[in-house]
Amino acid sequence: MIDFKNEIAKIITASVNINIDEIESYIEIPKDKEMGDYAFPCFKLAKNLKKAPQVIAEEIKNSIDIQNTNIEQVIVSGGYINFIVSKEVMIKTVLEEINEKGDKFGHNEKGKGKTVIVEYSSPNIAKPFHIGHLRTTLIGRALYNMYKAQGYNTISINHLGDYGTQFGKLIEGYKRWGQEYNIYENPIEELTKIYIRINNLCKEDENVLNMCRENFKKLEQGEKYCVELWKKFREVSLKEFYRIYDLLGIKFDSLNGEAFYSDKTDEVISILDKTGKLIESDGAKIIDLEEQNMPPCIICKSNGSTIYATRDLAAILYRARTYDFDKCIYVVAYEQNLHFKQIFEVAKLLGISQKSLQGLEHVAYGMVHLKEGKMSTREGNIIKVEDLLKESIARVEKVIEEKDNELTEEEKQDTAKKVGIGAIIFNDLSGNRIKDEIFDWDVMLNFSGETGPYVQYTYVRAKSVLNKVLYTPELEKVNINNLQKKEEIEIIKLLYSYESTINQAIRKK
Ligand code: ARG
């Protein structure tokens, strides 16, 4: 496609003698469509040129030459120079590109030869998959898709929370009362009940707590009974998670979670030890981060066991070696901001390449609260993603039932599923990433206005128009003059900007 922005930058550079990349980075698309297709804000140059933006704008306008370019008109408005591109050329270039690339329209090879890891979802096994996890899952998958569209070698990782002292407790609870619970039917619900029960007992009885700790130690040492149980918990949990992933169309290249790194933390400790920065503090081993204005990063607790952060460090080392990544993105709630700042700082001591080190990035997102406050597994006030999806599908089913009697039962169900799930995905991704959200069924399941169902409706309508035409005209035969109405140009412009929108979404996240 013709790159209008770049063309404009070239025209401007010829008259102001400033680096073309810099000029290009200033060019914007005006919010007010009447102002033109592109605008160059001259106040960006005002300081250097020591002139008022309006004066600069006039001077540039008078000195540039748009003959033999795709720019039709240049208008100065305040401190801006507005550019209007030839609509005919724009329509042509978009249609040609679509014709050539088909489904790959908007894709490019910018990321060729580079590797990006996107880590998302990462729920804790034996715990409910709640609406907080929905955000990381959907944002992460969207990022994955966008990087892929830019030609990056893209790897998706679900860093499962499948390790830690809580499994010592769960094993103890299961050992005591496992028979009473049917963990095959409703695994997570039942395991959560066991967890809450044993946790309460631990609070009352120090001995029980010690037994739990003992179980975890045995698990770490590979004792058969504990390992078998842990495997069972993981397996039944994953089965339940995959019901949701399948509904949402989510996939992962790797499920290497915390447990995978349990035998890889020793190396981290020894590397850190050699740097001389690993110090003793109250029996624990820590990296002091006072200089960076952060609390210390605990690497090894006083009882010798490693923690969440140690396993994350082992993961960084492993991923750097295995994938030699250019970027490793963590889509995790902002609640863990400090954690990631700490481990990214400590990662500097691991001896991995500068490239990988600089590619570590935490993409945070806002929390989902209930009107009553925070969600908590223990309080039992969790909104489960599966319930949300089911409710959404059921509401769509009702609408179909009321409006349409022509569909077969199977078609109804299929449509309800697509529309219901689409609504949830669109709603989640169209919101502000970082802002906290108060969960509201009616907002989540609002189907009118700018929503998933509306997008799907438009798509279906467009397809049906195409079906009526019965054939797609050859590009040369399209009469571009018939596409010059305001609405049509708007759509063409949107299509034109699709690729750069993906690019921007990746850069700004
Ligand atoms: N399992 C964690 C949780 O649910 C999230 C893991 C995030 N990823 C990571 N590499 N620490 O809170």
Side-chain angles (χ1 to χ4, degrees), residues 119 122-124 133 159 161 308 312 330 332 336 339-340:
E119 191 209 283
S122 312
N124 297 325
H133 297 118
H159 186 81
Y308 178 56
D312 254 329
Y330 297 79
V332 184
Q336 298 195 27
H339 166 76
F340 284 105

Side-chain angles (χ1 to χ4, degrees), residues 98-354:
I98 292 176
N99 196 43
E100 191 189 308
K101 286 201 167 166
D103 280 355
K104 294 270 181 295
F105 176 69
H107 292 211
N108 61 38
E109 294 290 316
K110 262 196 169 90
K112 207 166 174 207
K114 294 208 177 97
T115 297
V116 175
I117 295 176
V118 189
E119 191 209 283
Y120 54 90
S121 203
S122 312
N124 297 325
I125 66 167
K127 285 211 179 139
F129 193 95
H130 60 72
I131 46 175
H133 297 118
L134 184 65
R135 303 223 67 201
T136 155
T137 307
L138 296 177
I139 294 170
R141 189 66 197 177
L143 276 172
Y144 174 92
N145 290 340
M146 289 192 286
Y147 275 106
K148 197 128 197 114
Q150 300 232 324
Y152 287 88
N153 172 32
T154 318
I155 295 146
S156 55
I157 301 183
N158 187 347
H159 186 81
L160 288 174
D162 54 3
Y163 213 64
T165 43
Q166 74 270 29
F167 292 100
K169 287 186 180 171
L170 209 49
I171 290 169
E172 188 58 35
Y174 191 81
K175 216 191 293 183
R176 289 168 184 247
W177 319 297
Q179 311 295 341
E180 297 171 36
Y181 298 85
N182 184 354
I183 72 157
Y184 291 100
E185 194 110 322
N186 261 327
I188 293 182
E189 210 167 287
E190 298 298 290
L191 288 174
T192 307
K193 281 185 200 155
I194 297 178
Y195 184 72
I196 294 174
R197 189 165 163 192
I198 189 76
N199 218 17
N200 287 336
L201 194 60
C202 283
K203 274 184 218 151
E204 285 164 24
D205 189 343
E206 179 90 36
N207 282 334
V208 180
L209 185 63
N210 284 333
M211 284 176 201
C212 298
R213 287 188 179 132
E214 207 44 45
N215 287 336
F216 181 60
K217 212 175 248 166
K218 283 186 197 156
L219 179 64
E220 281 195 298
Q221 287 157 356
E223 199 248 20
K224 199 161 171 264
Y225 176 79
C226 290
V227 172
E228 288 301 313
L229 259 190
W230 169 82
K231 271 195 189 152
K232 185 145 84 177
F233 297 153
R234 190 176 189 273
E235 193 184 310
V236 291
S237 303
L238 271 177
K239 219 166 148 190
E240 196 161 329
F241 294 157
Y242 264 90
R243 280 214 304 271
I244 298 161
Y245 293 145
D246 287 345
L247 274 177
L248 293 170
I250 302 288
K251 293 194 172 71
F252 299 99
D253 297 316
S254 161
L255 290 176
N256 285 343
E258 290 191 48
F260 179 78
Y261 300 104
S262 62
D263 64 355
K264 298 175 178 57
T265 49
D266 280 352
E267 193 187 352
V268 169
I269 297 169
S270 106
I271 293 175
L272 293 177
D273 214 9
K274 282 192 196 116
T275 65
K277 300 245 162 96
L278 191 63
I279 53 174
E280 290 257 343
S281 165
D282 293 333
K285 287 181 181 159
I286 62 157
I287 299 284
D288 185 76
L289 297 173
E290 204 180 333
E291 249 174 60
Q292 288 78 19
N293 275 323
M294 287 187 271
C297 183
I298 299 173
I299 303 296
C300 220
K301 289 200 286 195
S302 54
N303 67 2
S305 57
T306 59
I307 68 161
Y308 178 56
T310 331
R311 293 188 283 277
D312 254 329
L313 288 165
I316 292 176
L317 188 61
Y318 176 85
R319 291 173 187 177
R321 281 176 184 163
T322 311
Y323 305 107
D324 186 27
F325 61 82
D326 295 85
K327 260 189 173 304
C328 179
I329 294 169
Y330 297 79
V331 186
V332 184
Y334 71 69
E335 213 178 15
Q336 298 195 27
N337 275 357
L338 176 62
H339 166 76
F340 284 105
K341 267 201 194 143
Q342 288 178 306
I343 60 161
F344 292 170
E345 190 58 41
V346 178
K348 291 180 183 163
L349 306 173
L350 292 179
I352 62 173
S353 73
Q354 276 303 315

Side-chain angles (χ1 to χ4, degrees), residues 414-428:
D414 185 50
T415 308
K417 211 163 147 185
K418 285 178 179 147
V419 177
I421 289 169
I424 302 283
I425 296 178
F426 187 93
N427 182 62
D428 194 278

